[in-house]
Amino acid sequence: MKNLFSVYLTIIAMSLFSSSCNKEKYIDEPGNLVPKTVMEDSTLPAISVNGAKLHSEAFGPVDSTLIICIHGGPGGDYRYMLNCKTLATKGYRVVFYDQRGAGLSQRFPKTWYKSQGSDAINKIFYDELKGVIAYYKTSALQKVILLGQSWGAMLATGYTGKYPTEINGLIVAEPGGLKWDDVVDYVAESRSFKLWSETLNDATYIDQFITGKEDQHEILDYKAGLIGSVNAIVGDAGADLGNNAPSYVASRSGAIANAASYELGQDTKPDFSAGINSFTTKTLFIYSSNNKAYPESWATKISSAYPNKEIFKAQGVGHSGMIDQVNFWTTTMEPKIIAYIQSL
Amino acid sequence: MNTFKSIFIIITFSFFQNKSTAQAINWGNISNRNKHLLHVNVGAEYGLTAGLGYHYLVPVKKFPIWIGGEFSTPGGNKPADDFKMRLGAQIRIAAFNHFQFSARVQGISRRYQNQSVTVFNFGSDFAGTLGYYQKHWFGAVEVGFDKAIVTYFKHSDWYKENIYDNVQDGWYEPATGGNFYYGLQGGYSMKKVDFTLKAGKILQQDFESQPLLPFYGQLGVNFRF
């Protein structure tokens, strides 16, 4: 038995201290587990706005009505919204951008977000959106329509409330909440996984395989992406972009942007409905039938903040499905949005 | 490839010897007549888990050693997609009256799978336990470090089609992760059965970040024979 114990110790020691002949592969190297951002890949379309280099592109006639697509998260990316690109063929200028710290845009440390203080939401997100609009707007008369989904819808609402005269149309798809308490309630409801569920297990079990410091964005973004792969509660099935997909597949979560934003929210309790009562233009408010966390009662409650609105229930799709499912987009959502814009 | 050879041997041993657990042990009632320790447990460790293990006592005079391993799996509707196996030894290093200090050294192999990726990892777990041990009960503190030394990633077609088409599969090293843990353990012992409980906190190796489930706990039963 003593010999056996010696063998065990030898084996364990060898596994700990021996080196491999393979070329070392690092989990924190950009491009290995997550795609490179615009900071490492100069071939990606990018703009510089508000002190950050953002992954961004636009389609359609440069002087026509701008439709600014605002992705969810915080910490998501615009890839799943690319079905909206078809609006460019209908004569609109469609703009996509990954928010600071999200998607393929430049990363910032958590301390940077926290250092923005009590006015953080304004400095980080509203100023950025203002910069994006300014970058793509070619004349003062060019109309601007915001199209936001989930967190993007909250951001679009907050921005419109702050600058009601600068926005000509507002399309919001399932903003989780507009007042902070509602945001917290929605997040809890949409992530109320059962204790023994595979989803919860998938979220927690990975922590013993991979750990990362707060400045190791590649690691943290990768883990965040694994957690966010599937959420049956909100009824999402994964994006179907059809021919609207770009030639490369590169989607990336922004873990720090997400965590920092949520912490800032807890600290500052932002109200994204502030000022929206002065936006008298009709808002198109969309919610889905397959999102169990967003029943009609919740849609009624959240939409009550908009003084003039049209409520549309997207049948047969989930939280992102009204935009990321190409068939639904083509047959239902795009015609609805065009009709809305033409009604303004 | 020395790492993988040694790892392969570890796995081979773990399968053929069907070994034990990193279980809380009452060092106050070990006996040469009961060299076998079968252990079952449920608890929380990076998820809700259930485990089964076996240890064999090597009675080296002042330094008794329990050699063995355990297998555990977390909850979920896919029981075989995630698991962890530990294989190693727990040795009593020092004893003063009823106070005893023991160390645990284990090799770990573990697997994780979800819609995006299958991850396989080899790691190590070192822990020290200082406690007060009586024949019928014990209480102790433990401090340990769990290191994910080398990890293999194999991404699904879904991941490549929806998230990142140029993801690099393969073995990743140096270490992909590590967590410290510290906590309390205790137990009540009857003639051939111990009921044990341990709980504590997990901290990532940067001493700042926490895992999503930042604590662990385990309720276990030891059968000695």
Side-chain angles (χ1 to χ4, degrees), chain A residues 114-126:
Chain A
K114 304 288 277 189
S115 70
Q116 301 307 302
S118 59
D119 201 25
I121 299 296
N122 184 42
K123 290 178 181 174
I124 299 168
F125 296 108
Y126 296 164

Side-chain angles (χ1 to χ4, degrees), chain A residues 248-285:
Chain A
Y248 55 90
V249 181
S251 184
R252 178 167 165 177
S253 298
I256 291 297
N258 177 276
S261 300
Y262 200 79
E263 287 177 23
L264 285 169
Q266 293 283 36
D267 293 342
T268 63
K269 305 278 189 294
D271 179 4
F272 298 98
S273 66
I276 197 63
N277 57 345
S278 58
F279 183 69
T280 54
T281 305
K282 186 170 69 177
T283 296
L284 178 59
F285 184 98

Side-chain angles (χ1 to χ4, degrees), chain A residues 164-232:
Chain A
T165 59
E166 297 178 18
I167 299 302
N168 303 97
L170 177 62
I171 304 165
V172 292
E174 291 195 350
L178 297 176
K179 298 185 182 301
W180 184 249
D181 287 346
D182 290 339
V183 175
V184 172
D185 287 349
Y186 176 74
V187 170
E189 188 68 23
S190 62
R191 298 180 186 177
S192 55
F193 307 117
K194 291 177 182 171
L195 207 55
W196 285 96
S197 71
E198 190 70 28
T199 307
L200 185 61
N201 159 50
D202 284 345
T204 58
Y205 209 63
I206 190 68
D207 278 332
Q208 62 189 304
F209 294 78
I210 310 170
T211 58
K213 299 176 185 174
E214 277 192 357
D215 59 347
Q216 291 181 304
H217 295 284
E218 286 73 21
I219 297 173
L220 301 180
D221 291 353
Y222 178 71
K223 288 177 72 176
L226 292 183
I227 294 171
S229 295
V230 174
N231 183 351

Side-chain angles (χ1 to χ4, degrees), chain B residues 104-166:
Chain B
R104 188 177 72 236
V105 181
Q106 292 180 306
I108 298 176
S109 58
R110 48 194 156 196
R111 183 179 189 269
Y112 169 92
Q113 186 178 50
N114 74 353
Q115 182 184 24
S116 298
V117 67
T118 300
V119 182
F120 198 85
N121 166 262
F122 294 106
S124 63
D125 189 345
F126 296 94
T129 304
L130 176 64
Y132 184 83
Y133 295 87
Q134 289 274 17
K135 187 174 181 181
H136 292 294
W137 63 275
F138 70 96
V141 295
E142 71 169 347
V143 178
F145 181 53
D146 174 347
K147 188 80 173 176
I149 297 171
V150 57
T151 306
Y152 187 83
F153 291 79
K154 173 68 177 173
H155 291 83
S156 64
D157 290 341
W158 182 89
Y159 189 85
K160 293 173 182 174
E161 290 165 6
N162 291 279
I163 307 296
Y164 183 32
D165 56 358
N166 198 32

Side-chain angles (χ1 to χ4, degrees), chain A residues 1-2 4-5 7-12 14-28 30-36 79 195-198 200-214 219-220 222-223 225-227 229-230 237-240 247-252, chain B residues 1-4 6 9-10 13 17 19 46-48 56 58 65 67 74-78 81-84 87 89 105 110-117 119 121 124 126 148-149 153 155 158-169 171-174 176-179 204-206 209 211-212:
Chain A
M1 217 53 207
K2 289 178 183 174
L4 179 60
F5 181 60
V7 171
Y8 271 118
L9 284 184
T10 306
I11 291 167
I12 291 167
M14 285 174 66
S15 70
L16 294 180
F17 299 113
S18 60
S19 61
S20 167
C21 295
N22 282 353
K23 181 177 178 289
E24 291 184 335
K25 204 179 285 181
Y26 294 85
I27 59 170
D28 59 350
N32 276 350
L33 294 179
V34 290
K36 295 176 180 175
R79 179 182 167 82
L195 207 55
W196 285 96
S197 71
E198 190 70 28
L200 185 61
N201 159 50
D202 284 345
T204 58
Y205 209 63
I206 190 68
D207 278 332
Q208 62 189 304
F209 294 78
I210 310 170
T211 58
K213 299 176 185 174
E214 277 192 357
I219 297 173
L220 301 180
Y222 178 71
K223 288 177 72 176
L226 292 183
I227 294 171
S229 295
V230 174
D240 179 3
S247 58
Y248 55 90
V249 181
S251 184
R252 178 167 165 177
Chain B
M1 297 301 285
N2 287 337
T3 303
F4 303 127
S6 54
I9 296 170
I10 289 176
F13 269 67
Q17 298 193 13
K19 285 285 170 68
Y46 307 106
L48 294 179
Y56 182 82
V58 182
I65 306 168
I67 296 175
N77 52 12
K78 299 173 188 169
D81 64 339
D82 308 316
F83 62 80
K84 176 158 59 179
L87 179 66
V105 181
R110 48 194 156 196
R111 183 179 189 269
Y112 169 92
Q113 186 178 50
N114 74 353
Q115 182 184 24
S116 298
V117 67
V119 182
N121 166 262
S124 63
F126 296 94
I149 297 171
F153 291 79
H155 291 83
W158 182 89
Y159 189 85
K160 293 173 182 174
E161 290 165 6
N162 291 279
I163 307 296
Y164 183 32
D165 56 358
N166 198 32
V167 65
Q168 301 298 301
D169 287 338
W171 288 99
Y172 278 72
E173 57 176 331
T176 56
N179 291 300
Q204 292 187 8
Q205 58 188 350
D206 63 357
S209 313
L212 208 55

